[in-house]
């Protein structure tokens, strides 16, 4: 007889049961099962699974940046500092980081906020990027941007004015945010990006959303994802100013997820900090939390788990609460901090690693540009598809028409229409995409997000497989 369980679905934290994270949802779970079946020799109509659900570039074939990996290797094994084969600038960088570590070991805890020289390098990077002075004391490291986003959002849980707290977020959004809001018990207030206007966020839509939500909750913060995820769009400078004015007029704390800023291929990037500064008072005095990570950008070091937040002009009480919460986490990966330092302070002209580093970055950007253009052409040419060109991030977010008969079939199976579509796409082609319903979308519209394989052959094969599948899907449900 089994003992009675002390923790069950009935008495576990119910908010955790309600968390949904689409990029690791049922489509991925089936993809992992298919990979096991292939390894066991089970015959499938494809040779391998293409994991296009996550923006995990190294898992999709992107090569690492050599300088970054050299510094991490030297920091992890200092005996290599005396070995041949490493450029002198990589040795200098590793020594500088090791000198700030307890007993010169990356295995020791760093301060909770991060290593001092790396925070200083981040502040210098932000100052140069924005033309606005940045203070290293406003910079904090975490185990990826996700870790820090949760800490910032947790500060808004307190009830204010007798109404439950809420956070506004443009839809579609990355499910880290919706899942975190659910876990924390914060209300999610949706405002819809305008797909017909290159995913713009209009003042009218923000006002509508806030007005309707304010009846029974208190909206305290606004999340903006720029460059967009899953859409891949970049906000115009004019639209950013409109968003800042809206946040100021309604006293909303602004959280700017700017993790894809280095991936942009077709437009200039403006940080919200820069825009707020250039708008002048009173906007230049607004609070802001801006996030960056080495999981994205050209480094794409997802496994090293380090991100940063610049917490700008926060009140003394908010800073105390944030630091208290971060103290519980001890510190982010010190090897990740090594990688972050290489991202914000890459080899300079005259350094031994400079030419190779520049060439590697140019190659990655060129491949991204080629993949984005090819995906847009391919998806725009499929009957029933439409796809706004991506401005940079390494994925596409096409809109698809799903026949009514397929929608009925999905309902009969307890699935959403785009879930049925993505599951069948996976079963027939091995291409693992994330349904748009996992990001949020306007009623009656259907999308999916597909991350691009880095190598040309699997990328071309995936696009061709999607086309064949869709034509068969239309025939099946005609």
């Amino acid at each position: 007889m089994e003992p009675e369980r002390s923790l069950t679905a009935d008495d576990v934290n119910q908010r955790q049961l309600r968390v949904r994270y689409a990029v690791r949802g049922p489509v991925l779970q089936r993809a992992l099962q298919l990979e096991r079946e292939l390894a066991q020799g089970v015959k499938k109509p494809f040779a391998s699974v293409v994991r296009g659900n996550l923006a995990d570039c190294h898992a999709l074939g992107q090569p690492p940046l050599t300088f970054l990996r050299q510094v991490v290797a030297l920091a992890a094994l200092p005996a290599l500092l005396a070995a041949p084969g490493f450029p002198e600038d990589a040795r200098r960088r590793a020594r500088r980081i090791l000198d700030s570590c307890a007993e010169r070991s990356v295995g020791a805890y760093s301060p909770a906020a991060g290593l001092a020289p790396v925070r200083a390098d981040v502040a210098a990077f932000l100052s140069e990027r924005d033309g606005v002075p940045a203070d290293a004391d406003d910079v904090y490291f975490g185990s990826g941007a996700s870790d820090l986003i949760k800490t910032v959002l947790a500060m808004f849980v307190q009830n204010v004015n007798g109404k439950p707290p809420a956070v506004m977020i443009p839809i579609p959004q990355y499910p880290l945010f919706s899942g975190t809001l659910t876990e924390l018990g914060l209300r999610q207030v949706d405002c819809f990006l305008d797909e017909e206007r290159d995913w713009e966020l209009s003042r009218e839509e923000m006002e509508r959303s806030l007005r309707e939500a304010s009846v029974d909750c208190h909206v305290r913060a606004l999340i903006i994802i720029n460059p967009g995820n899953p859409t891949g769009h970049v906000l115009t400078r004019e639209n950013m100013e409109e968003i800042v004015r809206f946040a100021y007029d309604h006293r909303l704390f602004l959280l700017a997820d700017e993790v894809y800023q280095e991936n942009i291929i077709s437009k200039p990037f403006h940080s919200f900090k820069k825009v707020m500064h250039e708008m002048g008072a009173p906007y230049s005095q607004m609070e802001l939390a801006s996030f960056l990570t080495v999981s994205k950008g050209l480094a794409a070091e997802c496994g090293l788990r380090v991100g940063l937040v610049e917490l700008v002009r926060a009140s003394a009480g908010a800073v105390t609460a944030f630091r208290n919460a971060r103290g519980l986490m001890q510190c982010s990966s010190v090897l990740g901090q090594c990688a972050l330092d290489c991202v914000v302070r890459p080899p300079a002209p005259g350094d031994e690693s400079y030419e190779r580093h520049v060439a590697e970055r140019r190659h990655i950007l060129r491949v991204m540009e080629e993949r984005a253009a090819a995906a847009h052409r391919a998806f725009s040419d499929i009957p029933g598809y439409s796809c706004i060109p991506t401005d940079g991030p390494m994925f596409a977010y096409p809109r698809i028409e799903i026949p009514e008969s397929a929608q009925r079939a999905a309902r009969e199976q307890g699935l959403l229409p785009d879930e049925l579509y993505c599951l069948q796409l996976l079963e027939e082609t091995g291409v693992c995409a994330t349904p748009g319903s996992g990001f949020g979308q306007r009623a009656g519209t259907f999308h999916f997000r597909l991350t691009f394989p880095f190598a040309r052959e699997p990328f071309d094969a995936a696009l061709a497989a999607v086309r064949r599948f869709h034509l068969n899907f239309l025939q099946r449900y005609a």
Side-chain angles (χ1 to χ4, degrees), residues 26-27 402 414-424 435 437:
V27 179
I402 297 181
L415 299 170
L416 295 171
D418 52 5
E419 287 180 324
L420 172 74
Y421 188 93
C422 288
L423 282 168
Q424 291 192 7
S437 53

Side-chain angles (χ1 to χ4, degrees), residues 234-355:
V234 174
L235 294 172
T236 65
R237 173 63 181 263
E238 294 73 22
N239 198 187
M240 293 177 70
E241 291 183 3
E242 192 173 27
I243 292 166
V244 170
R245 291 190 186 96
F246 170 81
Y248 176 81
D249 290 345
H250 295 286
R251 199 183 165 199
L252 300 180
F253 190 105
L254 192 60
L255 288 79
D257 177 345
E258 299 176 319
V259 302
Y260 282 105
Q261 61 187 261
E262 198 179 25
N263 300 85
I264 299 173
I265 56 177
S266 59
K267 292 180 181 177
F269 170 74
H270 303 287
S271 73
F272 269 92
K273 181 184 177 184
K274 176 183 177 181
V275 169
M276 292 159 71
H277 173 79
E278 293 179 352
M279 289 173 71
Y283 310 109
S284 58
Q285 302 306 307
M286 292 172 61
E287 301 147 293
L288 172 72
S290 173
F291 303 91
L292 190 60
T293 177
V294 299
S295 297
K296 310 307 173 192
L298 303 188
E301 293 283 1
C302 300
L304 288 177
R305 303 312 301 142
V306 69
L308 70 91
V309 61
E310 185 186 16
L311 200 57
V312 183
R313 292 181 292 275
S315 70
V319 170
T320 298
F322 180 85
R323 288 178 175 172
N324 287 348
R326 294 310 304 167
L328 294 174
M329 308 305 294
Q330 294 289 358
C331 69
S332 63
S333 160
V334 177
L335 284 178
Q337 294 181 49
C338 296
L340 176 59
D341 194 71
C342 296
V343 169
V344 300
R345 186 176 164 227
D351 287 343
E352 188 176 348
S353 301
Y354 177 74
E355 295 296 336

Side-chain angles (χ1 to χ4, degrees), residues 86-90 92 347-357:
F86 290 91
E88 185 55 37
D89 54 335
R92 286 196 305 271
D351 287 343
E352 188 176 348
S353 301
Y354 177 74
E355 295 296 336
R356 180 174 186 173
H357 188 74

Side-chain angles (χ1 to χ4, degrees), residues 49-63 371 394-395 432 450-456 458-459:
V49 171
V50 177
R51 291 200 197 179
N53 61 304
L54 279 174
D56 185 352
C57 292
H58 289 180
L60 290 167
Q62 179 178 312
R371 299 292 179 271
M394 66 293 292
F395 41 74
C432 181
L450 181 66
T451 306
F452 310 144
F454 192 82
R456 185 60 180 266
F459 171 75

Side-chain angles (χ1 to χ4, degrees), residues 331-444:
C331 69
S332 63
S333 160
V334 177
L335 284 178
Q337 294 181 49
C338 296
L340 176 59
D341 194 71
C342 296
V343 169
V344 300
R345 186 176 164 227
D351 287 343
E352 188 176 348
S353 301
Y354 177 74
E355 295 296 336
R356 180 174 186 173
H357 188 74
V358 169
E360 289 175 349
R361 287 173 52 87
R362 284 176 178 166
H363 173 62
I364 293 170
L365 275 171
R366 184 169 61 252
V367 171
M368 285 184 182
E369 187 172 6
E370 291 172 355
R371 299 292 179 271
H376 178 249
R377 288 193 303 269
F379 288 142
S380 298
D381 190 47
I382 298 175
Y385 269 57
S386 61
C387 187
I388 295 174
T390 180
D391 293 322
M394 66 293 292
F395 41 74
Y397 192 63
R399 179 171 170 174
I400 52 177
E401 294 179 10
I402 297 181
E404 179 57 38
S405 57
Q407 296 182 44
R408 283 197 306 271
R411 289 192 292 270
E412 291 168 0
Q413 298 177 48
L415 299 170
L416 295 171
D418 52 5
E419 287 180 324
L420 172 74
Y421 188 93
C422 288
L423 282 168
Q424 291 192 7
L425 172 67
L426 173 64
E427 294 288 351
E428 296 179 25
T429 69
V431 175
C432 181
T434 304
S437 53
F439 303 100
Q441 53 196 351
R442 284 190 181 275

